[in-house]
Structure formats: C-alpha cells, structure tokens
Amino acid sequence: MTETQTPDTIAHLLVTNVDELVRIHLEDGQLTIPTEPCRGGTPATTTVSVDYFDAIVERAAIEDGGLTLCCMDGLHLPASEWVRTGLDRHWHADDADLRSPFFPPRRMLEVWASREDSLHASDAPYIFSHLDEIPSDSPVITEWASNAPDRYPDRPPVPFDRPTLSVRAIRAEGVTDVRGFDRIEVGQISRVEPLESIAEQPTAPDIELREVDLSPPARHPEITYKDLDPLPHSDELLGAVFTINRHAKRLGAEADTAYRRGDGAHARAHAVRKRALYRTKTVAVHRFGRFDPDSIRVARHTLGDGHELLCFYIENYSYHQPPAAVEPDFLEAIAGVDDRSELPAKEINLESSTETATLDRSLSAAISILRDHGIEPNEYLDQRSVEDFTDGFEIATTF
C-alpha cells in the first residue's frame, strides 16, 4: 500500500515541480468520473478503481496569503492516461460538443486545498508537525510568512485539507449556461511522486474545432433599398418611429447608469435593446423613402465633436441617422446625390431627450404598430438574452 503524504507535503511537491512529470496516487484507490456531458445540471458519475495516474504539472501555486493551494487546470494527462482512467467516458456521448471553440476538450484536472476551515476551528497553542517534511524556503511556508496577520505565527499553524481533484465535464451541444455544474470532484490525492519520464507526453486533443466568426455584429442593418416595401407617411407610423427612437435614447442612458453602479448584466441588456431599436428606426426611415421620396427633405448636420449626422424631414417629424446607416440609393432618391459630402453642412447643437412619460404612445404600442407593417424589432437584436455571470441568471432582451 502506498504511503500517504501530508497535504502540505503534497502542496510543496506540486508547487515546486511545475513543468515536471509526476505520478498522482489517489486516496482509497478510487476515481469518480463523469459518464455524460454537462447538459445544464450535474452530469451522472460512476466510481472506478484507479490507484494512480501520470501527468505533467502545468500550473500550481500557493495563493490567498498561504491559505490556498490552487492548480487551476494544473495537471495535464497524456491521452493514454485519460483513457485508462475512464476520464474520457463523458466525451463519447452522441451530443458531446468536442468541437466547441469556446469550451474545447482538454485532458486537465484541477487541484485545490485550503487551510481556512481548520484555521477558524483551531486556537493556540498550535502544533506544527504538518510542516516536518517541508523545507523552510518552500512557498508553502514563505507565502504564509509574507502575509500572516499579527495574531498568527510566521508559519502555517494548521494543515491544508486533503487536496481534491476536479474535472470540467465536456458540454453537450447547444449548452452554454452550465452555472458551475460542469465541475466534478473526482477524487483526493494521497501522494505525489516526481518522475523522470513517462511513456507518453501530454498533448492537446487532435480535434478540429469549429470555425466561428468572432467579428462584432454590424452596427447598422443590411438594407437593399430597391427591395424594400414602401411604408406610408401616416401620423401613426411616423409617431411610432419617433417613440422607439426616444426609448432607444432612454435605454442608452439606463445602460450608462447601470455600468456606473457595477450592474454589467443589465447594462448589456439595455445596450442590446437600444441598438435593436435604432436599427428598427433605420429600416423604417428607408421604407418611408420608398413610399414618397420627393416629399422627404435631407440635411447634413455637423456636431461640435466633429461627427456628422443626416437628418431626414418627413411630414412633421425629423429623424437623424449616422451616415454609415444610410444607403446611397436612398440618399440619391431623396437628394439626387449618393455622396453626403455634396450636401451643404450645417453645425447644430444636438440635444437628445430621454424623457418618455409624455409620449403619445407606449413602446409596446409603437412596436405593435410597426409589426402590423412587417417591421420586427426582435430581428435586430444581437442576442435574445444576457447572462449575469456573477449570480448565474439571464435577462431577456426581446420586446
């Protein structure tokens, strides 16, 4: 039977053998392995008999002022060891997403141990026998000594818990929000044995990942002006576009406020909805042009910061558009030119109101009017929901 080492000895051997080969012996000769990918809840597991596995230590550190041993994905196993131990079993399900570029398969195990619970449960006088095999210059001791509160000695007064091993189960196809359920504790370490060599070096899995377009979404909708359906210049439709424009400004202000208070999830949700409403406005304005371009007037406005906007006057309403959002065919149909630089420029002081309480119609009523004419704001959302990564909930962005 393999001799069991103290947790502090295991921690010392790991942090002083980074980039080296080791044999990890398992407590009770057992490993708990996931048998299926993570589908949003905790995957099913089974317990198998495994005395040890070989790996390279890629990351290992004493952190939190000496309180924690952290090896985040720190042990890299060769392919043969991954298979021999059964840790590959959850990769073989029909819906295992091995080609995900965001959560690719890796033969890694995490190691973690803490002193915190023992520290809170113990009082002086302390017994330091857990450090008998640890050199005085080991990070296990020096990290504590550099950060120890005054009420504690300059050596760790309590031992680490038995270091645990965890694996990140592969995700099933289409699963992105796992809320930590993909992290499976697979066993505990009884001993670490440095090795001179192993039969197979660890490598990344030979799996071709999916190609993903990581370019940011287009700021403005793609429009082919001649293919658009005309949109009548009725007061109802013109007022609906005015309403969604005002609410887009409100959402922009609310996004800024949420960012300042540290609420990133709601800030992102407001920003996503704001962009969708502005894109909806752009489509509607172009469709107004298809109905009666001769009745629309356009002006080129310059702002004090050097930016330009094109302003379209339709009946009793006016709508600003960024030049990049305006199709040249639309501009030519209205002004007889397809290059805005040919229009006279006028400097203005743009005051954007975010007030919506006095509008004639609500946002939902305005959207309903536009939907009756084939304009759907949800088609212009970058995403249908936003995840709060801290608390693990989602915020719907749809209208």
Side-chain angles (χ1 to χ4, degrees):
M1 185 174 183
T2 304
E3 179 185 351
T4 298
Q5 295 169 331
T6 67
D8 285 82
T9 299
I10 292 171
H12 168 74
L13 289 170
L14 289 174
V15 300
T16 57
N17 280 280
V18 173
D19 295 329
E20 301 294 337
L21 302 167
V22 294
R23 175 163 291 176
I24 303 294
H25 296 269
L26 298 165
E27 188 86 353
D28 300 324
Q30 291 185 335
L31 202 62
T32 299
I33 58 172
T35 57
E36 61 183 18
C38 182
R39 301 186 176 99
T42 303
T45 61
T46 189
T47 301
V48 296
S49 295
V50 177
D51 290 326
Y52 66 87
F53 60 81
D54 297 337
I56 188 169
V57 183
E58 292 200 348
R59 283 173 292 277
I62 305 298
E63 299 182 349
D64 302 326
L67 279 175
T68 306
L69 164 67
C70 183
C71 310
M72 188 67 69
D73 293 331
L75 298 179
H76 192 174
L77 280 69
S80 58
E81 289 291 79
W82 196 252
V83 173
R84 181 182 68 83
T85 58
L87 283 164
D88 69 324
R89 194 175 300 184
H90 60 292
W91 288 17
H92 297 303
D94 291 340
D95 61 344
D97 189 6
L98 298 177
R99 300 186 64 229
S100 168
F102 305 109
F103 311 103
R106 296 184 297 174
R107 304 183 188 100
M108 306 284 195
L109 293 181
E110 174 185 325
V111 184
W112 187 88
S114 174
R115 304 185 193 279
E116 197 160 2
D117 289 344
S118 297
L119 193 65
H120 291 158
S122 299
D123 296 310
Y126 299 109
I127 299 173
F128 296 94
S129 57
H130 56 282
L131 301 176
D132 287 349
E133 299 175 3
I134 311 299
S136 60
D137 61 351
S138 168
V140 170
I141 294 176
T142 58
E143 284 298 310
W144 174 274
S146 299
N147 299 276
D150 292 340
R151 66 181 181 276
Y152 289 116
D154 60 1
R155 292 182 296 164
V158 295
F160 279 120
D161 298 328
R162 177 68 47 187
T164 59
L165 294 158
S166 299
V167 67
R168 293 282 183 179
I170 200 73
R171 301 179 183 211
E173 294 177 355
V175 174
T176 57
D177 182 15
V178 297
R179 305 186 184 184
F181 289 115
D182 60 334
R183 183 180 181 275
I184 308 298
E185 186 174 310
V186 298
Q188 294 184 318
I189 301 176
S190 67
R191 183 177 181 85
V192 173
E193 178 186 349
L195 299 176
E196 292 294 328
S197 63
I198 55 178
E200 178 189 355
Q201 289 293 321
T203 58
D206 186 17
I207 295 173
E208 183 178 356
L209 304 180
R210 287 193 304 277
E211 292 187 5
V212 177
D213 183 4
L214 298 177
S215 59
R219 293 187 62 186
H220 311 295
E222 293 185 8
I223 294 174
T224 303
Y225 180 65
K226 64 183 179 62
D227 293 339
L228 292 177
D229 291 330
L231 195 63
H233 296 181
S234 69
D235 188 69
E236 181 182 52
L237 281 165
L238 291 165
V241 176
F242 180 84
T243 298
I244 66 169
N245 184 61
R246 182 66 63 83
H247 278 278
K249 295 175 182 177
R250 171 186 61 81
L251 288 164
E254 291 180 0
D256 291 342
T257 300
Y259 273 121
R260 286 194 295 270
R261 69 169 180 262
D263 187 354
H266 281 94
R268 293 194 305 275
H270 293 324
V272 166
R273 303 182 90 222
K274 174 196 72 174
R275 290 192 294 270
L277 291 183
Y278 277 139
R279 291 165 183 161
T280 303
K281 170 190 171 185
T282 293
V283 172
V285 169
H286 279 73
R287 285 185 58 182
F288 285 142
R290 288 286 291 157
F291 180 75
D292 186 3
D294 293 337
S295 69
I296 301 176
R297 182 169 61 89
V298 61
R300 176 182 167 204
H301 289 163
T302 60
L303 309 181
D305 59 3
H307 286 83
E308 287 190 359
L309 294 172
L310 293 176
C311 186
F312 296 91
Y313 296 90
I314 309 174
E315 303 297 335
N316 296 320
Y317 292 88
S318 62
Y319 310 99
H320 278 104
Q321 288 283 276
V326 178
E327 281 294 293
D329 289 346
F330 175 37
L331 188 58
E332 185 170 18
I334 294 169
V337 298
D338 60 5
D339 184 350
R340 74 178 190 276
S341 66
E342 298 184 39
L343 299 173
K346 177 184 177 181
E347 186 171 341
I348 66 166
N349 181 20
L350 185 64
E351 296 181 2
S352 297
S353 174
T354 62
E355 194 277 325
T356 59
T358 59
L359 293 175
D360 293 338
R361 54 183 58 82
S362 66
L363 176 60
S364 60
I367 288 174
S368 179
I369 292 169
L370 294 173
R371 282 173 174 156
D372 288 342
H373 290 78
I375 299 177
E376 173 53 71
N378 286 331
E379 292 181 3
Y380 305 109
L381 290 166
D382 292 331
Q383 55 196 99
R384 295 288 179 119
S385 65
V386 169
E387 182 180 354
D388 184 294
F389 300 111
T390 302
D391 295 327
F393 63 87
E394 289 191 350
I395 303 167
T397 60
T398 51
F399 295 98

